[in-house]
Amino acid sequence: MANPYDELRKAREMLTHELYSDAIFLARKAHEEISKTDDFSEEKLAQGLIYEIQGKALLIEKEYSRASSYLGQSLLIYSRLSKMKYANDVAQSQVNALWELSRQKVRQGQHEKGAYFLNQASMSLSQAGLELFSAELKACAFAVRAEGTNLEGEKKQFYQRAIQSLQNLSRVEPVIHGHFNYFNALLLKLTNTESALNFAIEAHNHYKLTDRKDWIERAFHLINEITTELDITFDTP
């Protein structure tokens, strides 16, 4: 009879190569054998791997809601077992699923639901100990809620809360500093267009230090919007 711990190791190796069917077969087989022992932590670790494989396979198939559910269960198990390397990896995958769910809802005009999924992603990252990225998604959730309201008072309040979420982290990473300036630009665009432009340019400069092309484009688009209002020209650096 094969050693279930070896099978568990092989299942994880297959997962890294995206061989989901083989990985889930071995992980379930290993879990069944380990569950017959008193090795509770390894049994739970095997269960966490099963959920992880299921979640990542569904993510590839773009079944984001089910993927997020399985990955969340895996994350909970890994976190409780203090397997933070595994937890971090699963958290990132769950965030990808939740980001996609958020985008879908925003495209449908359901900004509150879009913000909900970003908050879920933020909590997953916090649970994995990734507080910096958790704060990023929390701020983005407030920004999504701001985009979803036509009430200027509410819009200002949400942008202010987005800024506050990043207040103490804004100089830690270029992307976080970029967000801090970007959300300030969106807030000031409502009342002080010239000041908003300065923040938008600063955001663009910080985003260019990262590989976040989506945010670089957003900042440049915002700059173009503001310069159009001011009737001036901004050239791409």
mmCIF file of all heavy atoms in Angstrom, residues 49-72:
data_model
loop_
_atom_site.group_PDB
_atom_site.id
_atom_site.type_symbol
_atom_site.label_atom_id
_atom_site.label_comp_id
_atom_site.label_asym_id
_atom_site.label_seq_id
_atom_site.Cartn_x
_atom_site.Cartn_y
_atom_site.Cartn_z
ATOM 1 N N LEU A 49 -5.961 20.655 1.220
ATOM 2 C CA LEU A 49 -5.418 20.487 -0.141
ATOM 3 C C LEU A 49 -6.532 20.112 -1.122
ATOM 4 O O LEU A 49 -6.556 20.604 -2.254
ATOM 5 C CB LEU A 49 -4.326 19.423 -0.141
ATOM 6 C CG LEU A 49 -3.693 19.106 -1.504
ATOM 7 C CD1 LEU A 49 -3.092 20.357 -2.133
ATOM 8 C CD2 LEU A 49 -2.637 18.014 -1.359
ATOM 9 N N ILE A 50 -7.453 19.261 -0.696
ATOM 10 C CA ILE A 50 -8.577 18.883 -1.559
ATOM 11 C C ILE A 50 -9.383 20.117 -1.945
ATOM 12 O O ILE A 50 -9.702 20.326 -3.127
ATOM 13 C CB ILE A 50 -9.477 17.840 -0.855
ATOM 14 C CG1 ILE A 50 -8.738 16.508 -0.745
ATOM 15 C CG2 ILE A 50 -10.795 17.666 -1.619
ATOM 16 C CD1 ILE A 50 -9.443 15.484 0.134
ATOM 17 N N TYR A 51 -9.705 20.947 -0.956
ATOM 18 C CA TYR A 51 -10.442 22.178 -1.242
ATOM 19 C C TYR A 51 -9.643 23.100 -2.166
ATOM 20 O O TYR A 51 -10.197 23.738 -3.067
ATOM 21 C CB TYR A 51 -10.764 22.921 0.058
ATOM 22 C CG TYR A 51 -11.848 22.297 0.899
ATOM 23 C CD1 TYR A 51 -11.740 22.274 2.292
ATOM 24 C CD2 TYR A 51 -12.986 21.751 0.323
ATOM 25 C CE1 TYR A 51 -12.739 21.709 3.080
ATOM 26 C CE2 TYR A 51 -13.988 21.188 1.104
ATOM 27 C CZ TYR A 51 -13.858 21.168 2.484
ATOM 28 O OH TYR A 51 -14.851 20.619 3.261
ATOM 29 N N GLU A 52 -8.329 23.171 -1.920
ATOM 30 C CA GLU A 52 -7.476 24.031 -2.745
ATOM 31 C C GLU A 52 -7.494 23.581 -4.208
ATOM 32 O O GLU A 52 -7.635 24.410 -5.121
ATOM 33 C CB GLU A 52 -6.042 24.012 -2.213
ATOM 34 C CG GLU A 52 -5.088 24.871 -3.024
ATOM 35 C CD GLU A 52 -3.645 24.800 -2.538
ATOM 36 O OE1 GLU A 52 -3.394 24.146 -1.508
ATOM 37 O OE2 GLU A 52 -2.783 25.405 -3.203
ATOM 38 N N ILE A 53 -7.356 22.270 -4.417
ATOM 39 C CA ILE A 53 -7.358 21.743 -5.792
ATOM 40 C C ILE A 53 -8.694 22.024 -6.469
ATOM 41 O O ILE A 53 -8.748 22.486 -7.620
ATOM 42 C CB ILE A 53 -7.074 20.230 -5.788
ATOM 43 C CG1 ILE A 53 -5.663 19.950 -5.248
ATOM 44 C CG2 ILE A 53 -7.214 19.652 -7.208
ATOM 45 C CD1 ILE A 53 -5.416 18.492 -4.899
ATOM 46 N N GLN A 54 -9.787 21.781 -5.742
ATOM 47 C CA GLN A 54 -11.111 22.018 -6.312
ATOM 48 C C GLN A 54 -11.284 23.489 -6.681
ATOM 49 O O GLN A 54 -11.804 23.822 -7.753
ATOM 50 C CB GLN A 54 -12.197 21.592 -5.312
ATOM 51 C CG GLN A 54 -12.284 20.081 -5.134
ATOM 52 C CD GLN A 54 -13.225 19.681 -4.007
ATOM 53 O OE1 GLN A 54 -13.142 20.188 -2.892
ATOM 54 N NE2 GLN A 54 -14.136 18.770 -4.302
ATOM 55 N N GLY A 55 -10.854 24.363 -5.778
ATOM 56 C CA GLY A 55 -10.997 25.799 -6.010
ATOM 57 C C GLY A 55 -10.185 26.286 -7.194
ATOM 58 O O GLY A 55 -10.679 27.046 -8.039
ATOM 59 N N LYS A 56 -8.940 25.833 -7.286
ATOM 60 C CA LYS A 56 -8.082 26.292 -8.377
ATOM 61 C C LYS A 56 -8.540 25.742 -9.723
ATOM 62 O O LYS A 56 -8.408 26.416 -10.751
ATOM 63 C CB LYS A 56 -6.625 25.913 -8.083
ATOM 64 C CG LYS A 56 -6.011 26.755 -6.966
ATOM 65 C CD LYS A 56 -4.554 26.440 -6.729
ATOM 66 C CE LYS A 56 -3.968 27.399 -5.702
ATOM 67 N NZ LYS A 56 -2.534 27.114 -5.418
ATOM 68 N N ALA A 57 -9.065 24.515 -9.724
ATOM 69 C CA ALA A 57 -9.597 23.944 -10.964
ATOM 70 C C ALA A 57 -10.805 24.749 -11.443
ATOM 71 O O ALA A 57 -10.944 25.038 -12.638
ATOM 72 C CB ALA A 57 -9.983 22.488 -10.743
ATOM 73 N N LEU A 58 -11.664 25.143 -10.512
ATOM 74 C CA LEU A 58 -12.846 25.937 -10.866
ATOM 75 C C LEU A 58 -12.458 27.343 -11.313
ATOM 76 O O LEU A 58 -13.129 27.945 -12.164
ATOM 77 C CB LEU A 58 -13.802 26.008 -9.671
ATOM 78 C CG LEU A 58 -14.550 24.707 -9.361
ATOM 79 C CD1 LEU A 58 -15.183 24.765 -7.981
ATOM 80 C CD2 LEU A 58 -15.616 24.438 -10.425
ATOM 81 N N LEU A 59 -11.378 27.863 -10.751
ATOM 82 C CA LEU A 59 -10.900 29.190 -11.150
ATOM 83 C C LEU A 59 -10.474 29.179 -12.619
ATOM 84 O O LEU A 59 -10.773 30.125 -13.366
ATOM 85 C CB LEU A 59 -9.725 29.601 -10.252
ATOM 86 C CG LEU A 59 -9.218 31.038 -10.347
ATOM 87 C CD1 LEU A 59 -10.326 32.038 -10.058
ATOM 88 C CD2 LEU A 59 -8.060 31.249 -9.376
ATOM 89 N N ILE A 60 -9.803 28.116 -13.026
ATOM 90 C CA ILE A 60 -9.407 27.974 -14.427
ATOM 91 C C ILE A 60 -10.643 27.926 -15.330
ATOM 92 O O ILE A 60 -10.644 28.454 -16.447
ATOM 93 C CB ILE A 60 -8.563 26.689 -14.626
ATOM 94 C CG1 ILE A 60 -7.206 26.831 -13.910
ATOM 95 C CG2 ILE A 60 -8.346 26.404 -16.107
ATOM 96 C CD1 ILE A 60 -6.297 27.892 -14.471
ATOM 97 N N GLU A 61 -11.703 27.309 -14.827
ATOM 98 C CA GLU A 61 -12.944 27.187 -15.604
ATOM 99 C C GLU A 61 -13.811 28.442 -15.515
ATOM 100 O O GLU A 61 -14.918 28.483 -16.061
ATOM 101 C CB GLU A 61 -13.732 25.972 -15.111
ATOM 102 C CG GLU A 61 -13.034 24.646 -15.358
ATOM 103 C CD GLU A 61 -13.738 23.473 -14.699
ATOM 104 O OE1 GLU A 61 -14.870 23.667 -14.203
ATOM 105 O OE2 GLU A 61 -13.159 22.372 -14.671
ATOM 106 N N LYS A 62 -13.321 29.452 -14.792
ATOM 107 C CA LYS A 62 -14.011 30.736 -14.619
ATOM 108 C C LYS A 62 -15.334 30.608 -13.862
ATOM 109 O O LYS A 62 -16.244 31.416 -14.025
ATOM 110 C CB LYS A 62 -14.240 31.424 -15.982
ATOM 111 C CG LYS A 62 -12.945 31.752 -16.710
ATOM 112 C CD LYS A 62 -13.196 32.510 -18.001
ATOM 113 C CE LYS A 62 -11.879 32.846 -18.680
ATOM 114 N NZ LYS A 62 -12.074 33.605 -19.937
ATOM 115 N N GLU A 63 -15.407 29.591 -13.011
ATOM 116 C CA GLU A 63 -16.547 29.453 -12.108
ATOM 117 C C GLU A 63 -16.153 30.119 -10.789
ATOM 118 O O GLU A 63 -15.842 29.461 -9.793
ATOM 119 C CB GLU A 63 -16.909 27.982 -11.918
ATOM 120 C CG GLU A 63 -17.442 27.327 -13.182
ATOM 121 C CD GLU A 63 -18.050 25.959 -12.931
ATOM 122 O OE1 GLU A 63 -18.601 25.758 -11.827
ATOM 123 O OE2 GLU A 63 -17.972 25.113 -13.819
ATOM 124 N N TYR A 64 -16.161 31.452 -10.811
ATOM 125 C CA TYR A 64 -15.531 32.224 -9.755
ATOM 126 C C TYR A 64 -16.207 32.085 -8.391
ATOM 127 O O TYR A 64 -15.541 32.062 -7.357
ATOM 128 C CB TYR A 64 -15.477 33.691 -10.166
ATOM 129 C CG TYR A 64 -14.682 33.923 -11.427
ATOM 130 C CD1 TYR A 64 -15.280 34.485 -12.560
ATOM 131 C CD2 TYR A 64 -13.345 33.552 -11.510
ATOM 132 C CE1 TYR A 64 -14.546 34.684 -13.732
ATOM 133 C CE2 TYR A 64 -12.611 33.745 -12.667
ATOM 134 C CZ TYR A 64 -13.225 34.308 -13.781
ATOM 135 O OH TYR A 64 -12.513 34.497 -14.927
ATOM 136 N N SER A 65 -17.517 31.993 -8.367
ATOM 137 C CA SER A 65 -18.223 31.908 -7.088
ATOM 138 C C SER A 65 -17.901 30.603 -6.370
ATOM 139 O O SER A 65 -17.555 30.600 -5.181
ATOM 140 C CB SER A 65 -19.735 32.028 -7.319
ATOM 141 O OG SER A 65 -20.413 32.009 -6.084
ATOM 142 N N ARG A 66 -17.998 29.474 -7.081
ATOM 143 C CA ARG A 66 -17.683 28.185 -6.477
ATOM 144 C C ARG A 66 -16.200 28.092 -6.133
ATOM 145 O O ARG A 66 -15.823 27.539 -5.088
ATOM 146 C CB ARG A 66 -18.087 27.052 -7.412
ATOM 147 C CG ARG A 66 -19.593 26.901 -7.607
ATOM 148 C CD ARG A 66 -19.901 25.793 -8.597
ATOM 149 N NE ARG A 66 -19.426 24.508 -8.114
ATOM 150 C CZ ARG A 66 -19.137 23.472 -8.898
ATOM 151 N NH1 ARG A 66 -19.232 23.600 -10.217
ATOM 152 N NH2 ARG A 66 -18.734 22.330 -8.387
ATOM 153 N N ALA A 67 -15.368 28.644 -7.002
ATOM 154 C CA ALA A 67 -13.926 28.635 -6.735
ATOM 155 C C ALA A 67 -13.620 29.359 -5.439
ATOM 156 O O ALA A 67 -12.863 28.867 -4.588
ATOM 157 C CB ALA A 67 -13.174 29.290 -7.895
ATOM 158 N N SER A 68 -14.231 30.528 -5.253
ATOM 159 C CA SER A 68 -13.996 31.312 -4.044
ATOM 160 C C SER A 68 -14.428 30.564 -2.799
ATOM 161 O O SER A 68 -13.770 30.604 -1.757
ATOM 162 C CB SER A 68 -14.753 32.644 -4.136
ATOM 163 O OG SER A 68 -14.639 33.359 -2.931
ATOM 164 N N SER A 69 -15.544 29.835 -2.898
ATOM 165 C CA SER A 69 -16.050 29.078 -1.752
ATOM 166 C C SER A 69 -15.069 27.984 -1.326
ATOM 167 O O SER A 69 -14.730 27.855 -0.143
ATOM 168 C CB SER A 69 -17.407 28.466 -2.101
ATOM 169 O OG SER A 69 -17.892 27.686 -1.023
ATOM 170 N N TYR A 70 -14.598 27.198 -2.282
ATOM 171 C CA TYR A 70 -13.646 26.133 -1.955
ATOM 172 C C TYR A 70 -12.320 26.705 -1.446
ATOM 173 O O TYR A 70 -11.739 26.198 -0.480
ATOM 174 C CB TYR A 70 -13.380 25.270 -3.182
ATOM 175 C CG TYR A 70 -14.443 24.228 -3.444
ATOM 176 C CD1 TYR A 70 -15.198 24.255 -4.618
ATOM 177 C CD2 TYR A 70 -14.696 23.210 -2.529
ATOM 178 C CE1 TYR A 70 -16.173 23.292 -4.864
ATOM 179 C CE2 TYR A 70 -15.663 22.246 -2.768
ATOM 180 C CZ TYR A 70 -16.409 22.299 -3.935
ATOM 181 O OH TYR A 70 -17.361 21.351 -4.164
ATOM 182 N N LEU A 71 -11.837 27.753 -2.098
ATOM 183 C CA LEU A 71 -10.565 28.349 -1.682
ATOM 184 C C LEU A 71 -10.679 28.961 -0.290
ATOM 185 O O LEU A 71 -9.720 28.918 0.491
ATOM 186 C CB LEU A 71 -10.133 29.394 -2.705
ATOM 187 C CG LEU A 71 -9.738 28.829 -4.073
ATOM 188 C CD1 LEU A 71 -9.662 29.928 -5.127
ATOM 189 C CD2 LEU A 71 -8.404 28.086 -3.988
ATOM 190 N N GLY A 72 -11.843 29.520 0.033
ATOM 191 C CA GLY A 72 -12.049 30.069 1.368
ATOM 192 C C GLY A 72 -11.984 28.995 2.434
ATOM 193 O O GLY A 72 -11.428 29.212 3.525
#
